[in-house]
Amino acid sequence: MMMKRFSYFPKTIRTILSVGLGGLLVCGGAGRAIAGGFTQPKGEVFTSVTFRTFESGDFEKLELQGYLEYGLREDTTLILKVPYQWLEQAGLTNQGVADLELGARWRYFKNDSLSASVQGTVIIPPGYDPNANPALGRDVFGVELRLPLSQSYQLGNRDGYWTVEIAYRDYFGAQSDELRVFAEVNQAIAKPVSLAAQVDYVRTLQNNLVFRPEETNIAKLIGQVRWKVLDKTTLILGGFKNITGPDASGIEIQLWHSFNP
């Protein structure tokens, strides 16, 4: 069980996560709020809170991530990602805020179903100790250029969408640059439930500067069940397994909510 060795992980949070996971398993439409090629409507705020686990060999990670998109204009969306992590490796532990991501997505093409964008992100280390063991990061800044393409469709009378994204991440220090590819298909199966399948590929370009071998040179297969509980609120239960690279697996629980302040 992923959380068995995290004895310092707050008991209250463990209880809340256990209850939330149980509720999702009992409760189990195809939204596109976070699909990369699309942008948020002007003035719309999309929020996501994610709890995920990661286990590979003697390394374990729990992460609680806050994510926000804001529709600055119909074709421009601002992005913020804040992850808090609990790490354990070979009996050693560490926790804190990991690298922040601040970015913007600009949609340069749109028709009735297809949307293409370009996204720029700045990776910002928040001041952790890069010499800690295990470390939250290398304490180096970086930038990422991402090209997402998304299309919505109908299968019978059920909505769906697919997304393909290609990205290049450049770090300004002793950390390997990365080539990233992400693909997703999301299909409604019955109101209010949809299924999503994703492949997330990360390839390092300087093998002597790899930060965490357990999370590099991998292809990850992800499956999700998405339950739209309200018009702008969705619960997600998912899990992943590496199909190439180091053996690793984990689960995730997400809550999506959109609003117009």
Side-chain angles (χ1 to χ4, degrees):
M1 186 70 179
M2 165 60 74
M3 298 165 65
K4 63 182 181 297
R5 299 208 297 260
F6 281 85
S7 57
Y8 65 94
F9 195 69
K11 183 177 180 181
T12 301
I13 295 180
R14 294 203 308 267
T15 302
I16 291 171
L17 292 172
S18 299
V19 171
L21 177 57
L24 282 171
L25 288 170
V26 172
C27 297
R32 64 186 197 187
I34 205 169
F38 301 108
T39 52
Q40 299 298 329
K42 182 178 180 180
E44 187 90 346
V45 177
F46 169 79
T47 61
S48 170
V49 177
T50 301
F51 169 74
R52 60 172 56 96
T53 70
F54 180 93
E55 183 170 9
S56 179
D58 67 352
F59 176 74
E60 291 182 288
K61 175 173 68 174
L62 305 180
E63 181 175 277
L64 190 63
Q65 176 189 282
Y67 179 87
L68 181 145
E69 292 190 356
Y70 172 70
L72 182 66
R73 304 189 316 186
E74 289 297 327
D75 63 353
T76 306
T77 292
L78 303 181
I79 301 166
L80 174 65
K81 183 187 294 184
V82 181
Y84 192 96
Q85 297 178 352
W86 293 261
L87 309 177
E88 180 168 342
Q89 187 163 29
L92 301 174
T93 62
N94 191 18
Q95 67 181 76
V97 179
D99 290 344
L100 311 176
E101 296 187 17
L102 181 64
R105 181 186 309 127
W106 173 61
R107 189 191 68 235
Y108 60 86
F109 175 83
K110 179 185 178 183
N111 62 20
D112 290 342
S113 63
L114 188 67
S115 186
S117 299
V118 59
Q119 178 175 313
T121 303
V122 179
I123 297 96
I124 305 170
Y128 49 72
D129 179 6
N131 298 313
N133 188 18
L136 292 161
R138 284 275 174 84
D139 195 32
V140 295
F141 286 82
V143 294
E144 180 183 276
L145 177 66
R146 183 171 291 261
L147 301 174
L149 178 68
S150 299
Q151 184 173 34
S152 58
Y153 65 85
Q154 280 205 322
L155 185 62
N157 60 350
R158 303 294 184 189
D159 293 332
Y161 71 81
W162 59 261
T163 290
V164 175
E165 304 180 14
I166 298 174
Y168 182 82
R169 179 169 291 200
D170 185 11
Y171 284 99
F172 306 139
Q175 185 164 338
S176 175
D177 301 337
E178 295 173 346
L179 176 66
R180 295 176 170 229
V181 180
F182 176 81
E184 176 185 20
V185 176
N186 183 65
Q187 177 61 53
I189 55 172
K191 284 189 176 181
V193 177
S194 67
L195 299 178
Q198 304 167 344
V199 175
D200 193 9
Y201 173 79
V202 180
R203 176 71 180 177
T204 56
L205 301 180
Q206 296 92 26
N207 290 332
N208 61 321
L209 296 178
V210 169
F211 165 59
R212 185 171 288 143
E214 297 86 355
E215 297 184 279
T216 53
N217 295 324
I218 62 168
K220 180 189 302 183
L221 179 63
I222 307 161
Q224 296 178 338
V225 178
R226 299 176 179 177
W227 176 40
K228 192 173 184 181
V229 294
L230 297 171
D231 181 47
K232 293 190 175 185
T233 304
T234 302
L235 288 171
I236 298 100
L237 172 65
F240 83 89
K241 176 75 174 176
N242 280 2
I243 53 178
T244 66
D247 184 33
S249 60
I251 62 170
E252 66 179 17
I253 304 167
Q254 298 185 50
L255 175 66
W256 296 353
H257 180 66
S258 298
F259 62 95
N260 198 319

